[in-house]
Amino acid sequence: ASHNLPQGAVVICNFNQVYKIDGNIFATWMEILRSVNNSLLWLRTEGDDTHRTMRHYARRLGVRGERIQFARWAETSESHIERVK
């Protein structure tokens, strides 16, 4: 699968900047992941500290941290659009 996303997975994607993700939104995503088999959350973030923190909170909400995948910032707007097709 492209971008290291599993083939056939239900991908919930949000490429907003991470500061826009509040606790209520994150908890709602975790509820969806718990409810939908073979689903994952794909976020655009930079920084391993952010990745560790988000996975930590996912585990606290009953979701394996590996079900959150991270995309780095795209080089161009075109490459960003292309990866979500």
Side-chain angles (χ1 to χ4, degrees):
S2 63
H3 305 290
N4 296 321
L5 301 173
Q7 187 72 26
V10 176
V11 178
I12 301 160
C13 177
N14 184 305
F15 283 163
N16 278 314
Q17 294 183 20
V18 71
Y19 77 87
K20 296 179 181 180
I21 301 171
D22 67 22
N24 290 328
I25 293 296
F26 192 78
T28 299
W29 287 335
M30 296 304 102
E31 183 178 333
I32 292 167
L33 292 182
R34 286 191 309 271
S35 300
V36 178
N37 291 331
N38 197 34
S39 63
L40 62 91
L41 178 61
W42 192 26
L43 302 173
R44 179 183 69 177
T45 66
E46 295 292 332
D48 293 334
D49 288 340
T50 301
H51 300 176
R52 278 190 294 277
T53 299
M54 295 187 100
R55 286 182 170 145
H56 168 79
Y57 282 109
R59 286 189 298 275
R60 288 184 64 187
L61 293 171
V63 175
R64 288 187 341 271
E66 301 80 36
R67 292 181 67 191
I68 303 176
Q69 298 293 315
F70 299 99
R72 300 286 183 185
W73 287 86
E75 299 270 331
T76 64
S77 295
E78 293 79 16
S79 63
H80 171 64
I81 299 295
E82 189 60 34
R83 70 179 167 186
V84 297
K85 286 185 178 180

